[in-house]
Amino acid sequence: MFSSAQVQSPTESLAAIKQVLAQTGPAAGDAELIDQIRLLEEIKAAAAAAQARATAAFVVSQRAGHVAAGVAAERVGRGVAAQVGLARRISPHQATRYINQAVTLTTELPATFERLASGAVPEWRVLQIVGQTSWLRPEHRAAVDAEVAPRLEPLGHRQALDLVKKIAYRLDPPRLR
C-alpha cells in the first residue's frame, strides 16, 4: 500500500496512515467489524508507543541542545513541556507528567514498552504501571518489568495493577515508621 517512492519520511508515513484510517469505512459484517475494532485498538497502542518514543527522543535532543548552547544548568529543559503540550493538545502541566511517563517507560520498562509497541496492551494500562512503579529504585522497576511484561496480555486492568503492586511490595516492602 505504501511504497518507498510514495512516502519518504516517517512523518509522511504517519500522515499517510492517518489519511487511510480517516477514509476507512465500516466492514461488511459483524465478524469483520470486531476484527477492525481489535486491530484499531492494537494500532492505537502501537501509536502510543511511537509517541512515547518520539517524546523521549525530543526531550533528550532538546536537553542536549540546551547544554550545547551553554544554557544555565537550572534552565536546561525549560520549554520542552510547553512544546510537547502544544503537540499533544494538553496543558504544560499534563505534558510534564506525560514526559516523565514516556521517559520512564522507554528507558526503565523496556519489556512493558515492547508489549505496548506490539499492540498487546493498551496505553492506559501501561501508563498506570509506570505510575505504580514510580516509587521504586531503578533496579526494582527493572525486575517488575521483567516479571510483569510477559504476563500482561491476558490480564485485565485491575489484575495487571494488582500483580505490579504485589511484585513491587515484595521487592521493596513499605518501611514501617
Side-chain angles (χ1 to χ4, degrees), residues 8-149:
Q8 298 299 321
S9 74
T11 301
E12 290 172 333
S13 295
L14 292 171
I17 291 167
K18 182 181 127 191
Q19 185 176 15
V20 168
L21 288 172
Q23 296 171 354
T24 300
D30 288 349
E32 192 173 341
L33 285 169
I34 287 297
D35 290 344
Q36 272 190 9
I37 291 167
R38 176 60 179 245
L39 185 56
L40 288 166
E41 189 62 29
E42 291 172 0
I43 291 168
K44 281 177 20 184
Q51 188 176 52
R53 188 183 303 114
T55 299
F58 181 72
V59 169
V60 168
S61 174
Q62 287 289 293
R63 288 178 153 295
H66 289 175
V67 169
V71 172
E74 66 274 1
R75 297 186 57 84
V76 169
R78 281 227 178 130
V80 173
Q83 292 179 76
V84 171
L86 285 172
R88 290 199 67 203
R89 299 180 179 139
I90 59 177
S91 73
H93 175 74
Q94 290 171 312
T96 297
R97 184 173 178 203
Y98 175 74
I99 286 168
N100 292 332
Q101 291 170 323
V103 169
T104 298
L105 180 60
T106 58
T107 61
E108 297 183 24
L109 297 167
T112 300
F113 177 78
E114 179 52 40
R115 301 307 301 147
L116 176 66
S118 73
V121 293
E123 179 185 30
W124 172 253
R125 187 171 307 147
V126 168
L127 293 180
Q128 292 296 304
I129 290 168
V130 172
Q132 291 296 323
T133 60
S134 64
W135 56 276
L136 293 172
R137 293 191 305 263
E139 63 270 16
H140 288 154
R141 191 177 295 124
V144 170
D145 181 52
E147 194 169 336
V148 169

Side-chain angles (χ1 to χ4, degrees), residues 154-167:
L155 298 178
H157 184 70
R158 178 58 44 210
Q159 292 171 313
L161 292 182
D162 287 347
L163 178 61
V164 168
K165 287 177 190 176
K166 177 181 171 186
I167 296 167

